[in-house]
Amino acid sequence: MKPLFIAGPCVIETADILDIVAAELVRLQRTYDLDVYFKASFDKANRTSLSSYRGPGLDNGLQMLADVKAKHGLRLLTDIHEAWQAVPAAEVVDVLQIPAFLCRQTDLLVAAARTGKAVNIKKAQFLSGKDMQYPVEKARESGAVDVWLTERGNSFGYNNLVVDFRNIPDMKMFTTRVIMDCTHSVQRPGAAGGKTGGNREFVPTMALAAKAFGATGYFFETHPDPDHALSDGPNMLRLDDLETVITSLL
């Protein structure tokens, strides 16, 4: 199976940033014949602090994503947090993503599945790979044909995540498309004074380890200037480094 790459900024900040990242993804897609999806969130509903930037919201965010598709021709992925968001999001994007914290929310899974779009379910930080059988069954029994799973580490508190790479072959029992979230897995949740920290220097080796365990896709949040990003900067990959990481996986 050809590897799939999902990449883009954590949250929609400005049209210029979306354009810069999208243009680089198009270049990489053409250079290496990649299977690419552009990802950005219109709302980050689970930020650590009430004062943290969440994004432009559903209407403005979807319009900005639609502009990316119209200009660059990239397929799109975004996450939804409430069931009512599924239908309007599906009118714009190609893949609906279920956030890790919400992967057991039946109404959300059902709503996403009923749109007919591919559904990417991120494994919760509190579940094992084998536990993901049941979210997959909910989605498929509700009409989803194409269901993906994404590994993003497990939390034991204490502002850290641990990745058990056995989750990848475990989840491949339920779907052939198992993706490694190489940037969220290096987060340090809540470890940066009311916001999430991270260790982006480990992103390349997270990706290679996932490949060794049979991952069939890779998820990279990337930004031209992650140290000044409005969300998840410490764990996002610098856009200039994305090509090197991708070529290491091909």
Side-chain angles (χ1 to χ4, degrees):
M1 175 180 286
K2 186 176 180 179
L4 180 151
F5 293 93
I6 301 167
C10 174
V11 66
I12 297 171
E13 297 180 21
T14 67
D16 285 344
I17 290 175
L18 296 184
D19 192 57
I20 289 168
V21 176
E24 175 64 2
L25 292 183
V26 169
R27 185 187 73 82
L28 295 173
Q29 182 182 50
R30 291 174 177 168
T31 302
Y32 300 104
D33 189 29
L34 302 179
D35 191 3
V36 174
Y37 287 79
F38 180 92
K39 180 269 173 186
S41 298
F42 57 80
D43 181 24
K44 302 298 290 186
N46 61 349
R47 296 300 303 277
T48 303
S49 171
L50 185 61
S51 62
S52 296
Y53 177 74
R54 289 182 52 168
L58 180 74
D59 293 339
N60 290 338
L62 289 178
Q63 183 58 59
M64 294 170 80
L65 289 172
D67 292 343
V68 168
K69 176 178 277 191
K71 181 175 181 179
H72 297 281
L74 290 166
R75 292 169 296 174
L76 305 176
L77 177 150
T78 199
D79 39 356
I80 58 173
H81 294 84
E82 299 183 62
W84 65 269
Q85 296 173 338
V87 169
E91 293 175 354
V92 175
V93 306
D94 303 276
V95 181
L96 295 174
Q97 181 167 280
I98 308 300
F101 285 127
L102 302 177
C103 74
R104 293 181 58 173
Q105 295 295 103
T106 300
D107 290 346
L108 186 61
L109 288 164
V110 170
R114 287 178 175 171
T115 66
K117 297 292 184 176
V119 180
N120 181 33
I121 310 172
K122 299 188 77 173
K123 181 185 73 63
Q125 298 91 326
F126 49 84
L127 294 180
S128 72
K130 291 181 179 179
D131 291 330
M132 295 306 292
Q133 171 185 349
Y134 305 103
V136 170
E137 288 177 353
K138 287 180 182 180
R140 286 186 174 146
E141 290 173 14
S142 301
V145 175
D146 199 5
V147 181
W148 308 347
L149 291 174
T150 295
E151 166 63 26
R152 52 101 70 243
N154 283 80
S155 176
F156 298 92
Y158 307 106
N159 307 117
N160 212 343
L161 292 169
V162 175
V163 177
D164 182 348
F165 288 96
R166 295 174 298 181
N167 285 327
I168 294 172
D170 283 348
M171 291 193 291
K172 286 178 78 175
M173 292 189 293
F174 315 123
T175 178
T176 57
R177 183 62 75 189
V178 175
I179 298 157
M180 182 66 201
D181 186 339
C182 305
T183 45
H184 283 103
S185 60
V186 300
Q187 281 183 330
R188 300 291 300 275
K195 56 186 179 180
T196 292
N199 298 100
R200 75 169 68 96
E201 65 270 23
F202 296 123
V203 169
T205 44
M206 281 287 184
L208 289 170
K211 179 179 179 180
F213 276 84
T216 57
Y218 305 91
F219 183 114
F220 300 105
E221 287 194 329
T222 186
H223 192 284
D225 186 11
D227 289 334
H228 294 95
L230 299 181
S231 176
D232 278 7
N235 58 267
M236 272 202 286
L237 193 65
R238 289 186 178 88
L239 186 61
D240 288 345
D241 295 331
L242 182 61
E243 182 171 12
T244 299
V245 176
I246 285 178
T247 55
S248 76
L249 298 166
L250 296 177

